Amino acid sequence: MSKIITCIKFGKERSVSFISHLDVLRVFERALRRAGLPLAYTKGYSPRPKLVFGQALSLGLTSRGEYLDISLENEVDENEVQELLVATLPPGFPVYMAKNLDDKVKPVMAAITHASYLFKGDRALEILEALDKSEIIFIKEKNNKKTETDLRPLINSIEPYEDGVRLICRAGSAYNLRPDALLTALSLDDEQIKVCREDLFIERNGSLVSPLMRLM
Amino acid sequence: MLTYQDLLEKHLNRIEKPARYLGTELHSIQRKKQPKVHVALAFPDVYEVGMSHLGIKILYHIANKDPNYWAERVFAPWPDMEAILNEEKIPLMTLESSTPLGKLDLVGFTLQYELSYSNILRMLRLASIPIRSKDRKSGPLVIAGGPCAFNPEPLAPFFDVFVLGDGEEVFLRILEILEQEPDREKRLQAIAKLSGVYVPSDYEIEYKQDSTIAKITPEKKVKKAIIKDLDAVDYPTSPIVPYLQTIHDRVNVEVFRGCLRGCRFCQAGMLYRPTRERSKEEIKRLVLETLKNTGYEEVSLTSLSTADYSALACLVPELMQVLEPEKISLSLPSLRIDSFSVELAREIEKVKKTGLTFAPEAGSQRMRNVINKNVTEEDLLKTAEAAFQNGWTHIKLYFMIGLPTETDEDILAIAELGKKVRELGRRYTKRVTVTVSTSSFVPKGHTPFQWCGQNPRDELRRKQFLLKDNLKGPGLNYSWHNPEISYLEAVIARGDRRVAEAILYAEEHGAHFDTWNEYFKPELWAEAFKACGIDPDFYALRERPQNEVFPWEHIDSGVEKSFLYHEWQKALAEQTTQDCREVGCTGCGVCSSFATAISLKGGE
């Protein structure tokens, strides 16, 4: 028997959108224990299940495309993992798919390069104007120090989608566009614009593919 | 009407921890149909504190087992949410269904510590429920239980009913009455007849010229409710699993109730007598079932003194056999000062060696005899040595200062003991740290020390400085408590009905979250006492004569006043009293009062 990574794609609905990233981690640790899966643990003084999330989601956002790598001691049928998690997760966390991957694939957090977000609300269409700008300056204040970032290069595309817009942008540990930063930079942050993360991607040969399709 | 979810959506940026207000955690109870009886279990502190409380978990489970009942939770909203409720003009609501408290049949508060009282009044105010019981002609009954209900007088004007002692059975009887009887007044009359129930408006207090109590009428005492067999009552194995990290975020299984060690300062040790153990098999079943239902990574065996559980030596290895392969840790919240405890700690901390905490409570043998903490310096040093031998490097020692008859010699003995433990540790490790922590003694009702005065705040500060000066050096840490907080606790703990006015005044003028250093305002409380014509020193600092009528004279814990006084005299004579399960009955009176006996089921 050899170790395996089971990557699951899950969502975060409105009712759980106020649960922080760290708290979501605990939700999964406990659900996985209740599911009785053969979890692989970290070594050391306080062993913990080896879990890797795709990308932290800001508080208040919903999502249809979150990813979690679970290290298992041995292979379990993908459908069974999905069913077990559907049964043990609290309401508000739908599980769309589970996929077994070789345990040598790049961890999902390091692999993510892009994300798509859906914006809805009265003034959401104004986000489209961002495309015409040559730079979009976001000013962040921390410890009395101001840092300016140009968000424009991080945007891949913005298009109308249903009654709002869809944004595809850089995501991940190296370059990341936070949707709330974009709204602030566009002076749209006081508006009641609802943001949903639609999905996360990996760039491969110029096109965006699902983290479930990771290769070794 | 806006729900918590709506408020969070609208004001997300202003709320520090929105997960406090979700009410949708795993195993929280939702009902689609309006239940026959709808109540709230209220904890007058923030979510993370309230969700760690075992009593609420038990009552939540017991009530919600019946589909006709719905018990929801409500905690003190943090000031960020309080501001939003006020701004939006929304009354305080339950967590699960965002129902305003005013629409319920009953709101039940737990009284865990005196400094949460301002929060109780604030919660009633936020709920737009009249704060004084006499002003409530309709709306929910407002009741309270928990350890502080044993001196209910400082809250007497605010509650319709207090429940004394073990709540499991009484609470169900109360729900039955609410189900059968729609009329508020008749409900109260029926509840008043239950055993363990105190209705403050049925009692009158007369005072003497010197401000002490002359008479409490009627003379009839109210006896606490008691569960004789813990195995026979329901215990939650599907407790709510919070999203936020709470203070005790783990499986908590209560292994026994009560404690017979007889420490003279300890109110819980007197109130929850006699010791009643759960059987070992039942404990194992509860642990395993709860783990399966919650997925927690830690189990704690709780009680007032878990090392005293009669079958612990078998229970711990049996549990570890199951828990260890699953990477689930076991914790024992209170270790005794003996080598058995170190042995246990070694058993449960096979990999992780965090600190060990021991509570000698006093530095000198003389002082420990006064408080009846029956451990010797030799016990402590042997135990510490065993801990160092087994690889621990950090030892925490808890003490109290301001104890009756205390001298500077007793204070310096605390520092000496800390240093001795450090020297001992140095023989085994270079990295040794000893943390000495002191709290300031607060005399409580229903204990042998209910007659004695608290040390004045300046005296406590002087003693703290004495320790600071003598606990300097590498590997020694000292931490202490704010004497202002201990003083207020002492005033309220032995307060009478007149103190209620000061609590209300303080709350009206902004007091809340008094246990939180950033919100506690001693000057505001001083102003409140002055405005209400109350001398707080009268309650906190005064030594009482033998025959004084206490504000809690009519509240009967089962332990006789004559026994407590005898213990007080023995304390002054520096004589100890042994645990009755070792030396036979010491005559506290609780077993005969309830026609029951100590129950050591674990050892069967």
Side-chain angles (χ1 to χ4, degrees):
Chain A
M1 302 254 232
S2 64
K3 289 194 182 174
I4 191 150
I5 299 277
T6 303
C7 182
I8 61 157
K9 180 180 181 183
F10 69 97
K12 218 178 155 194
E13 292 173 351
R14 183 174 173 264
S15 66
V16 296
S17 63
F18 299 115
I19 298 168
S20 73
H21 185 64
L22 209 66
D23 294 337
V24 172
L25 174 70
R26 264 198 307 276
V27 166
F28 272 89
E29 279 186 14
R30 287 168 186 166
L32 289 162
R33 259 200 212 92
R34 291 193 293 277
L37 287 165
L39 298 172
Y41 283 83
T42 57
K43 302 269 184 296
Y45 282 158
S46 37
R48 303 196 70 165
K50 287 186 190 169
L51 303 180
V52 179
F53 281 91
Q55 165 108 40
L57 186 70
S58 307
L59 216 59
L61 267 60
T62 56
S63 175
R64 299 179 203 164
E66 298 298 294
Y67 294 86
L68 170 67
D69 281 354
I70 307 162
S71 286
L72 295 179
E73 288 292 346
N74 48 271
E75 184 168 344
V76 179
D77 180 74
E78 299 162 341
N79 293 328
E80 199 185 325
V81 174
Q82 187 185 354
E83 278 165 30
L84 280 168
L85 276 173
V86 167
T88 53
L89 277 169
F93 292 101
V95 181
Y96 306 117
M97 201 193 260
K99 191 153 188 338
N100 285 338
L101 303 171
D102 190 285
D103 82 325
K104 291 184 190 63
V105 294
K106 203 173 186 183
V108 63
M109 190 181 328
I112 298 293
T113 58
H114 288 78
S116 63
Y117 294 94
L118 303 176
F119 296 82
K120 276 186 184 175
D122 290 345
R123 294 180 62 195
L125 283 169
E126 290 178 33
I127 300 170
L128 284 168
E129 291 163 19
L131 284 175
D132 304 328
K133 297 185 194 289
S134 56
E135 56 170 27
I136 302 167
I137 300 299
F138 172 63
I139 302 161
K140 189 174 167 184
E141 247 183 284
K142 203 179 176 185
N143 306 329
N144 289 326
K145 257 171 66 183
K146 279 187 185 176
T147 47
E148 292 191 359
T149 332
D150 181 10
L151 304 179
R152 183 64 187 86
L154 304 175
I155 297 173
N156 280 40
S157 66
I158 307 176
E159 57 186 19
Y161 178 82
E162 291 179 354
D163 49 350
V165 300
R166 169 194 272 144
L167 160 78
I168 295 180
C169 60
R170 301 287 312 200
S173 39
Y175 310 98
N176 186 50
L177 176 62
R178 286 176 57 128
D180 48 338
L182 180 64
L183 290 177
T184 306
L186 295 172
S187 309
L188 288 168
D189 53 330
D190 288 334
E191 304 306 317
Q192 297 287 324
I193 294 178
K194 295 255 183 307
V195 189
C196 170
R197 180 141 76 193
E198 187 187 26
D199 215 337
L200 293 167
F201 304 98
I202 299 168
E203 184 172 8
R204 189 188 295 154
N205 304 327
S207 57
L208 300 181
V209 299
S210 165
L212 296 173
M213 306 302 287
R214 261 171 294 161
L215 305 171
M216 264 179 38
Chain B
M1 180 96 167
L2 295 176
T3 64
Y4 279 119
Q5 187 86 32
D6 299 328
L7 291 177
L8 296 178
E9 302 264 355
K10 205 170 159 189
H11 302 284
L12 180 61
N13 299 335
R14 292 173 54 191
I15 296 170
E16 187 192 349
K17 290 185 178 176
R20 284 171 176 156
Y21 311 99
L22 294 180
T24 57
E25 309 94 313
L26 183 74
H27 301 318
S28 60
I29 301 292
Q30 308 293 335
R31 298 243 193 268
K32 293 200 177 73
K33 237 176 57 188
Q34 181 58 30
K36 285 189 184 154
V37 179
H38 198 176
V39 305
L41 299 168
F43 193 101
D45 208 321
V46 73
Y47 178 92
E48 297 92 304
V49 178
M51 281 304 288
S52 302
H53 179 241
L54 183 60
I56 284 207
K57 289 181 192 166
I58 293 175
L59 296 181
Y60 190 82
H61 166 73
I62 286 182
N64 287 320
K65 245 178 100 175
D66 188 328
N68 290 316
Y69 303 152
W70 193 5
E72 300 192 46
R73 293 161 297 156
V74 63
F75 301 104
W78 195 246
D80 54 2
M81 179 56 94
E82 181 180 328
I84 288 167
L85 289 172
N86 282 329
E87 225 170 84
E88 297 275 357
K89 299 196 169 47
I90 290 178
L92 184 62
M93 310 178 283
T94 57
L95 282 190
E96 282 82 351
S97 67
S98 293
T99 302
L101 298 191
K103 292 196 172 158
L104 302 173
D105 294 300
L106 174 143
V107 179
F109 282 89
T110 182
L111 310 178
Q112 294 297 310
Y113 34 87
E114 291 80 3
L115 271 72
S116 68
Y117 290 0
S118 56
N119 275 7
I120 295 175
L121 303 190
R122 182 62 55 88
M123 287 169 78
L124 291 175
R125 185 181 307 284
L126 285 170
S128 296
I129 293 174
I131 287 179
R132 288 179 199 272
S133 172
K134 66 177 173 54
D135 298 332
R136 294 194 286 263
K137 305 294 177 224
S138 61
L141 301 181
V142 181
I143 75 169
C148 295
F150 282 86
N151 180 18
E153 293 307 289
L155 293 174
F158 313 126
F159 282 99
D160 303 324
V161 158
F162 291 91
V163 176
L164 310 169
D166 301 324
E168 285 103 328
E169 280 175 5
V170 195
F171 191 50
L172 273 183
R173 296 292 92 75
I174 291 175
L175 292 171
E176 283 164 17
I177 290 168
L178 297 179
E179 185 180 358
Q180 287 153 10
E181 178 56 63
D183 180 73
R184 192 176 194 275
E185 202 44 45
K186 285 183 182 153
R187 282 173 164 183
L188 270 174
Q189 285 164 8
I191 290 170
K193 292 191 185 111
L194 298 173
S195 69
V197 164
Y198 167 57
V199 181
S201 57
D202 287 349
Y203 282 76
E204 255 180 69
I205 321 290
E206 291 163 51
Y207 301 95
K208 294 184 197 165
Q209 277 282 289
D210 66 2
S211 218
T212 59
I213 291 172
K215 206 170 152 210
I216 299 176
T217 26
E219 268 175 29
K220 192 177 164 287
K221 290 190 173 193
V222 186
K223 248 173 146 176
K224 74 174 180 185
I226 187 167
I227 302 287
K228 292 180 183 173
D229 178 4
L230 281 197
D231 282 354
V233 292
D234 240 328
Y235 193 85
T237 55
S238 288
I240 292 172
V241 183
Y243 288 122
L244 278 183
Q245 192 147 30
T246 58
I247 294 177
H248 301 307
D249 202 11
R250 59 197 182 200
V251 173
N252 288 297
V253 173
E254 183 192 28
V255 294
F256 64 88
R257 212 167 279 181
C259 173
L260 301 170
R261 299 242 142 205
C263 299
R264 291 176 179 133
F265 55 84
C266 178
Q267 193 188 35
M270 299 294 160
L271 293 182
Y272 295 116
R273 289 177 174 222
T275 288
R276 291 145 291 155
E277 293 187 341
R278 277 207 163 79
S279 66
K280 191 180 73 176
E281 291 314 308
E282 175 70 357
I283 292 168
K284 275 163 69 180
R285 182 185 74 82
L286 294 174
V287 167
L288 298 182
E289 244 182 70
T290 315
L291 279 172
K292 203 169 138 245
N293 293 337
T294 60
Y296 270 117
E297 53 287 322
E298 186 185 345
V299 176
S300 180
L301 301 178
T302 64
S303 73
L304 291 171
S305 169
T306 297
D308 285 336
Y309 180 66
S310 56
L312 200 63
C314 312
L315 177 64
V316 167
E318 281 176 36
L319 278 176
M320 283 311 290
Q321 221 169 23
V322 192
L323 303 185
E324 220 188 341
E326 303 290 327
K327 311 277 193 282
I328 293 163
S329 63
L330 182 67
S331 66
L332 305 175
S334 47
L335 283 177
R336 229 163 43 190
I337 299 177
D338 55 21
S339 50
F340 169 68
S341 290
V342 175
E343 198 56 42
L344 279 174
R346 203 174 62 160
E347 177 87 36
I348 62 177
E349 296 205 35
K350 283 196 169 128
V351 277
K352 194 165 77 177
K353 288 244 185 335
T354 51
L356 278 187
T357 302
F358 297 102
E361 313 285 5
S364 68
Q365 192 58 49
R366 189 198 72 79
M367 198 75 256
R368 283 193 295 272
N369 291 348
V370 169
I371 62 175
N372 204 42
K373 180 82 188 184
N374 291 318
V375 293
T376 61
E377 183 167 315
E378 199 191 341
D379 293 334
L380 177 72
L381 293 178
K382 264 191 184 161
T383 308
E385 182 158 23
F388 291 127
Q389 275 169 345
N390 283 294
W392 274 280
T393 56
H394 187 184
I395 290 197
K396 237 187 192 173
L397 301 172
Y398 277 131
F399 297 92
M400 276 181 290
I401 58 167
L403 288 163
T405 76
E406 189 174 70
T407 63
D408 283 2
E409 217 171 293
D410 299 310
I411 296 290
L412 292 171
I414 294 175
E416 286 313 308
L417 204 50
K419 284 179 192 160
K420 276 183 194 163
V421 171
R422 178 185 62 172
E423 294 320 309
L424 201 56
R426 282 185 173 162
R427 287 190 218 154
Y428 297 91
T429 168
K430 277 181 185 149
R431 297 180 295 141
V432 60
T433 49
V434 176
T435 300
V436 170
S437 172
T438 63
S439 61
S440 304
F441 172 59
V442 177
K444 297 263 166 131
H446 300 279
T447 72
F449 290 162
Q450 62 186 346
W451 284 274
C452 82
Q454 189 186 40
N455 274 189
R457 284 160 287 177
D458 283 338
E459 175 69 354
L460 292 171
R461 281 188 203 103
R462 190 186 65 80
K463 288 175 176 175
Q464 287 173 345
F465 274 111
L466 195 58
L467 274 177
K468 281 179 216 175
D469 288 341
N470 283 281
L471 278 167
K472 284 180 180 157
L476 281 177
N477 298 316
Y478 175 50
S479 68
W480 59 92
H481 283 203
N482 180 354
E484 295 291 344
I485 290 187
S486 308
Y487 176 69
L488 179 59
E489 189 183 334
V491 175
I492 301 177
R494 290 188 293 173
D496 54 34
R497 278 187 191 192
R498 295 168 297 187
V499 170
E501 300 310 316
I503 299 173
L504 182 56
Y505 181 99
E507 186 277 331
E508 277 173 341
H509 290 78
H512 68 161
F513 287 106
D514 291 306
T515 49
W516 296 74
N517 264 322
E518 66 262 47
Y519 290 104
F520 177 59
K521 296 183 196 123
E523 14 7 289
L524 176 59
W525 281 93
E527 182 197 316
F529 289 124
K530 209 171 158 198
C532 300
I534 285 168
D535 171 18
D537 288 356
F538 171 81
Y539 298 98
L541 307 186
R542 187 172 55 94
E543 181 164 332
R544 280 75 163 161
Q546 179 179 4
N547 59 0
E548 172 147 343
V549 178
F550 292 122
W552 52 91
E553 200 77 35
H554 52 312
I555 304 297
D556 185 5
S557 74
V559 175
E560 284 167 20
K561 194 176 181 184
S562 56
F563 170 80
L564 296 176
Y565 191 76
H566 184 60
E567 281 292 299
W568 171 225
Q569 295 307 304
K570 277 177 90 176
L572 295 174
E574 299 167 19
Q575 290 167 0
T576 61
T577 299
Q578 297 297 308
D579 186 330
C580 67
R581 64 189 205 174
E582 281 152 23
V583 299
C585 180
T586 53
C588 77
V590 79
C591 290
S592 57
S593 175
F594 291 100
T596 185
I598 58 176
S599 147
L600 306 177
K601 279 198 168 189
E604 273 171 12

